[in-house]
Amino acid sequence: MRQPFNVNRLALAAATAALADSSHLERTVRLTHTGMRLMTDRLEEKNISYIPSKGNFICIKVGDALHAAIALRQQGILVTPLTNYGLEQYLRVTIGKKEDNERFLNQVFEYLAMKAA
């Protein structure tokens, strides 16, 4: 067995080095806060529910999360359906660079519009 979201030794060493680099850490926190604002603002504009987060990810209500994850994967977007956690209608989405966040939002909005039609 293995815990979800675990990392290997190389990733752990890289994370330790990144945490020691204060300028990198500040840029990453700033990028994440900005990305989270973009995500939540756009989701609220479209009246899409989400679970508020203080981390580097957000959980978005999309209906059938497994089906949504498959549809997004076909567009090259990887997200995690939270069905194993009893949240069958939610996707876990990591906050990324602005262009990645916007690409995700455009694709999920398109998916939800097609589903509603």
Side-chain angles (χ1 to χ4, degrees):
M1 283 186 54
R2 133 186 156 171
Q3 294 178 338
F5 311 114
N6 68 346
V7 296
N8 60 36
R9 287 183 191 182
L10 182 58
L12 187 55
T16 301
L19 289 171
D21 182 346
S22 61
S23 63
H24 169 75
L25 191 57
E26 288 172 16
R27 282 190 312 273
T28 301
V29 169
R30 194 168 37 254
L31 176 74
T32 302
H33 284 287
T34 301
M36 184 67 77
R37 275 193 304 277
L38 169 73
M39 286 276 201
T40 57
D41 288 350
R42 297 273 311 276
L43 291 168
E44 288 171 5
E45 286 172 10
K46 300 280 188 179
N47 293 317
I48 297 172
S49 297
Y50 62 90
I51 300 171
S53 174
K54 298 290 184 185
N56 68 337
F57 65 92
I58 188 167
C59 299
I60 300 170
K61 189 173 185 180
V62 294
D64 181 346
L66 188 56
H67 187 264
I70 292 168
L72 290 167
R73 184 176 294 128
Q74 291 172 346
Q75 300 301 318
I77 297 172
L78 301 178
V79 294
T80 303
L82 296 176
T83 53
N84 290 340
Y85 299 93
L87 298 168
E88 292 82 7
Q89 296 188 31
Y90 286 85
L91 293 176
R92 181 189 188 279
V93 182
T94 302
I95 303 300
K97 296 177 182 173
K98 182 180 180 184
E99 58 270 16
D100 296 330
N101 296 335
E102 289 178 346
R103 182 168 177 256
F104 163 77
L105 287 166
N106 291 334
Q107 290 297 319
V108 79
F109 294 157
E110 185 176 311
Y111 166 80
L112 292 171
M114 287 191 308
K115 191 178 109 179

